[in-house]
Amino acid sequence: MNTIKNSGKGEKAFDYVLAVIFVFIIAMTVYPFLNVLAISLNDPMDTMRNVNFIIPRVFSVSNYIYVFTENSLGGPFVMSIVRTLVGTAVGVICTAMLSYVLSRKDFYFNKLFTMLFIITMYVSGGMIPEYLLLTRTLHMSNNFLVYIVPGLIWVYNVILMRSFIEGLPMALQEAAKIDGANDFLIWAKIILPLCAPSLATVALFVAVGQWNSFMDTYLYARELPTLQYVLYEIMEKATIKIDPHAPAGTLQNAVSPMSVRMAITVIATVPILVVYPFLQKYFVGGMTVGAVKD
Amino acid sequence: MKEKIRSKKQKFSAKLMWKQRYLLLMSVPFVIWLIIFKYIPLWGWTMAFQDVTPKSFAQPIWEREFAGFGNFTKAFTDRLFAQTMINTIGTSILGILLGTVFAILFALMMNEIRFNRFKKVTQTVSYLPHFVSWVIIASIAKMLLNDGGAVDTFLGTQLHLMSTNSPLFWVVVCFINVWKEMGWDAIIYLSAMAGIDQGLYEAAKVDGANRFKRIWHITLPSIKPTVTVLLIMSIGSALNVGMERQMLLSNGIVQDHAMVLSWFAYIRGIGNNNYGLGTAIGVFQSIVSIALLLIANKIAGMLGESKLV
């Protein structure tokens, strides 16, 4: 790897070839996002001319004003935020609790419960039985709970967190036991604080999953639209509803579907881009732990 | 009195249950959740052998009409089935091949490059698309790849990437997937490479092996077990091409080549309200997946590779 020194001339040249390839990869990855951002910040009339640019030609925030005022993006935006916050908080606490219990080798049902959870990673009922359970049996259609409860725990995250807890020194738990703490207190007071890196990883995974989730809205809760669903609807219709009664030349008429779509795309992307780089060191470690164990 | 946490074999007793009451309270609710949301749908597999419509779903299971393998026959003779199978297998084989090759290539380059700061930036950027939803990716892809989009403009030709009703669509979907997941998938290969004994490289260097020879004879053989395990797992899920991605990226023109099994199950099961047929397609998909996993595992074992189970 990087430790080998005194490389020859050919090897140095190879380093630069790699650097060029990397620049190309970065450009390929970043260009689409810059393009979207530029279109969303560009005057919609000007955008109709040509969409291939990464710096706004005629700067304008009218697309953003439009989506929040005329296109009523406010509701879906709040829905996305609420489901992400609630879903992540509840999901992480539940995952942490279960992971702790499954890390306790002395727990009588440890093996049985672990097995029950692992099996569901390999076989699942499939889409139709799940759909019928949620809509027909439990009547959860268009109920906010459908965003939180069915996907409460991901077994993958439990495995990830369990192996983290197993790596913590057992002496801490034993000392607390001697001091008379019960298992719940041990979890809340000792395990949880020590688990911070693992909690951060799982919180990121769950939050991204919640924010990006589209299929559950599509299947179960079209009356509770999220940002992702609104974006999908706009793509499907390819045109947006323009109020026929609005006087000509108003802001509303001046917004092209492409510009609106790109503004919503940016709004749906930005929260993720702000969060993930800071959690990078956690999830890279978390990924590999989860991959090695089980 | 010292209570032991590490002790292993215990007999079931009321006393033990009382002692572990907090552990029970902290896990039993989740097991109940698991049974309701994961195991009851498994019980739903019985619907594959019945005629189930929205009306008869309300009836108790013994009053529904038994259909034997009728739903399966209906699925296999469906006018969409053959093309759906071909699409599923084509997309998935192409996806596994391209995905693995590009992730390994990227990991190799990351492993070789010596500009550390630059390496970190590239890595962070490469994770970006992984965290972005398929809806957003589709929104961007449909702008860039549609006729007259950025890709056509840069290359100066009309490629009709999103408007050719042919297996070209598989290639387009798989390359979009590579673009999205390459950096993320490389993590696991990179960590395998980080575990390689540096002494091997030093020794090879003394023997006069150049960089490509070192990659070929040391790096690649060292990550072979990781590659095998990941390949077995991806073969096991070869039929599980997600409906979300296919549905979002497709359009009316290419739909014939975008249709995959899970989407087909949705259209027949929920779209046409034939629950039994939809379930049967799902059951077929699950059973073939498990069989594929076991076969791939067996073959890997016969070839002397590391096995998964």
Side-chain angles (χ1 to χ4, degrees):
Chain A
M1 228 164 50
N2 303 336
T3 45
I4 304 159
K5 298 232 168 78
N6 314 320
S7 42
K9 240 184 201 169
E11 308 222 331
K12 264 223 173 100
F14 185 61
D15 278 336
Y16 289 102
V17 172
L18 280 180
V20 171
I21 296 175
F22 274 29
V23 169
F24 179 71
I25 292 175
I26 292 179
M28 286 271 288
T29 312
V30 174
Y31 175 84
F33 291 103
L34 290 179
N35 190 193
V36 170
L37 183 65
I39 293 175
S40 76
L41 287 171
N42 198 47
D43 180 68
M45 280 305 171
D46 180 74
T47 302
M48 284 169 167
R49 217 156 38 88
N50 174 353
V51 291
N52 299 320
F53 54 92
I54 56 171
I55 296 165
R57 288 183 301 230
V58 183
F59 186 83
S60 151
V61 289
S62 62
N63 300 317
Y64 288 94
I65 295 172
Y66 174 84
V67 294
F68 277 110
T69 54
E70 307 296 323
N71 208 22
S72 58
L73 196 68
F77 186 64
V78 171
M79 181 58 70
S80 280
I81 290 177
V82 170
R83 73 169 287 181
T84 303
L85 291 180
V86 175
T88 310
V90 178
V92 169
I93 292 291
C94 292
T95 307
M97 204 181 267
L98 181 66
S99 308
Y100 171 63
V101 178
L102 296 186
S103 80
R104 286 279 301 265
K105 295 272 177 283
D106 63 321
F107 178 45
Y108 184 77
F109 295 109
N110 184 305
K111 282 229 169 95
L112 175 71
F113 286 1
T114 307
M115 202 184 67
L116 282 177
F117 275 92
I118 302 249
I119 286 173
T120 63
M121 290 177 91
Y122 296 97
V123 276
S124 76
M127 189 195 300
I128 312 297
E130 270 170 34
Y131 174 85
L132 292 174
L133 172 74
L134 294 178
T135 58
R136 296 291 301 267
T137 311
L138 299 174
H139 301 288
M140 286 173 93
S141 303
N142 295 315
N143 181 336
F144 181 72
L145 285 178
V146 85
Y147 286 151
I148 310 294
V149 179
L152 186 68
I153 290 172
W154 305 356
V155 181
Y156 177 83
N157 285 342
V158 173
I159 292 172
L160 205 150
M161 200 178 266
R162 189 190 63 175
S163 35
F164 187 90
I165 295 172
E166 280 168 353
L168 297 172
M170 192 56 95
L172 288 169
Q173 289 189 47
E174 280 170 350
K177 261 248 133 123
I178 294 166
D179 290 345
N182 64 43
D183 292 321
F184 179 77
L185 284 177
I186 294 178
W187 172 72
K189 295 259 167 80
I190 297 174
I191 302 295
L192 269 190
L194 289 172
C195 270
S198 180
L199 289 172
T201 313
V202 171
L204 174 78
F205 288 162
V206 177
V208 169
Q210 282 283 355
W211 182 263
N212 284 344
S213 185
F214 158 75
M215 283 308 278
D216 50 9
T217 315
Y218 181 78
L219 291 174
Y220 311 119
R222 295 192 192 194
E223 287 168 27
L224 302 174
T226 58
L227 275 181
Q228 310 288 339
Y229 188 72
V230 170
L231 184 54
Y232 161 78
E233 274 198 320
I234 287 186
M235 270 198 297
E236 278 302 284
K237 286 176 194 157
T239 48
I240 51 158
K241 281 183 207 139
I242 290 176
D243 183 5
H245 305 297
T250 52
L251 179 70
Q252 202 174 11
N253 290 341
V255 176
S256 71
M258 175 67 92
S259 299
V260 171
R261 207 175 97 196
M262 291 308 131
I264 300 176
T265 306
V266 170
I267 295 166
T269 315
V270 162
I272 283 177
L273 300 197
V274 173
V275 176
Y276 93 88
F278 298 100
L279 292 164
Q280 192 174 329
K281 65 175 173 189
Y282 297 126
F283 69 69
V284 172
M287 271 290 288
T288 44
V289 167
V292 173
K293 280 244 172 181
D294 286 274
Chain B
M1 195 179 82
K2 190 175 170 184
E3 283 185 81
K4 274 202 178 157
I5 292 184
R6 281 187 240 219
S7 61
K8 278 197 178 151
K9 276 194 183 167
Q10 298 168 94
K11 271 191 194 146
F12 183 83
S13 67
K15 203 179 147 209
L16 180 68
M17 288 303 105
W18 179 249
K19 203 176 107 189
Q20 299 189 334
R21 62 191 181 278
Y22 287 100
L23 293 178
L24 281 167
L25 278 174
M26 288 164 75
S27 58
V28 170
F30 302 120
V31 174
I32 294 171
W33 169 86
L34 187 78
I35 289 167
I36 295 175
F37 289 100
K38 304 287 169 187
Y39 283 95
I40 289 180
L42 267 180
W43 169 248
W45 276 22
T46 50
M47 288 189 297
F49 304 97
Q50 297 170 326
D51 271 329
V52 195
T53 55
K55 225 182 206 171
S56 66
F57 181 73
Q59 293 170 349
I61 192 161
W62 55 86
E63 281 178 22
R64 290 183 202 149
E65 209 167 314
F66 183 70
F69 285 93
N71 284 321
F72 291 91
T73 328
K74 221 184 266 173
F76 299 149
T77 51
D78 196 289
R79 66 183 172 84
L80 286 178
F81 183 77
Q83 185 62 44
T84 301
M85 261 327 259
I86 295 170
N87 292 339
T88 311
I89 294 168
T91 312
S92 126
I93 290 177
L94 196 64
I96 293 170
L97 284 180
L98 288 176
T100 309
V101 168
F102 276 92
I104 291 175
L105 273 180
F106 184 62
L108 281 176
M109 291 193 295
M110 291 290 283
N111 198 41
E112 288 296 322
I113 198 153
R114 296 172 208 199
F115 310 112
N116 266 332
R117 173 94 30 105
F118 188 49
K119 177 177 163 177
K120 282 220 173 91
V121 172
T122 313
Q123 195 155 24
T124 305
V125 169
S126 74
Y127 298 147
L128 193 157
H130 169 79
F131 289 106
V132 174
S133 73
W134 274 112
V135 183
I136 294 171
I137 301 281
S139 171
I140 299 175
K142 283 185 169 172
M143 178 184 69
L144 296 177
L145 305 180
N146 272 355
D147 295 350
V151 173
D152 278 358
T153 311
F154 284 137
L155 299 176
T157 52
Q158 290 286 325
L159 294 171
H160 298 293
L161 291 172
M162 299 291 243
S163 59
T164 313
N165 194 9
S166 76
L168 175 69
F169 187 71
W170 307 346
V171 182
V172 173
V173 168
C174 289
F175 268 103
I176 293 173
N177 204 59
V178 164
W179 178 82
K180 189 176 189 296
E181 303 294 342
M182 183 177 76
W184 184 257
D185 291 347
I187 292 181
I188 196 113
Y189 297 114
L190 268 172
S191 76
M193 289 175 193
I196 301 172
D197 179 11
Q198 290 303 308
L200 288 174
Y201 289 103
E202 300 287 350
K205 197 139 200 258
V206 172
D207 289 345
N210 67 25
R211 227 158 157 177
F212 292 103
K213 278 191 175 153
R214 293 201 295 265
I215 292 173
W216 189 254
H217 293 291
I218 300 172
T219 315
L220 285 178
S222 306
I223 63 164
K224 213 165 120 193
T226 311
V227 178
T228 317
V229 169
L230 291 182
L231 274 181
I232 295 174
M233 295 208 293
S234 50
I235 290 170
S237 55
L239 289 191
N240 305 336
V241 179
M243 161 186 169
E244 182 178 3
R245 181 185 77 184
Q246 300 297 116
M247 188 178 86
L248 290 169
L249 286 174
S250 82
N251 54 49
I253 305 171
V254 297
Q255 199 169 346
D256 288 349
H257 287 87
M259 184 65 61
V260 289
L261 273 178
S262 53
W263 194 4
F264 178 54
Y266 170 80
I267 288 176
R268 288 291 176 258
I270 299 172
N272 299 356
N273 277 325
N274 194 338
Y275 299 153
L277 179 56
T279 309
I281 298 166
V283 169
F284 166 73
Q285 190 180 336
S286 297
I287 288 174
V288 175
S289 295
I290 295 168
L292 281 177
L293 184 76
L294 295 177
I295 293 169
N297 195 45
K298 188 98 193 174
I299 292 174
M302 279 177 354
L303 295 176
E305 296 292 341
S306 49
K307 283 174 73 173
L308 187 65
V309 235

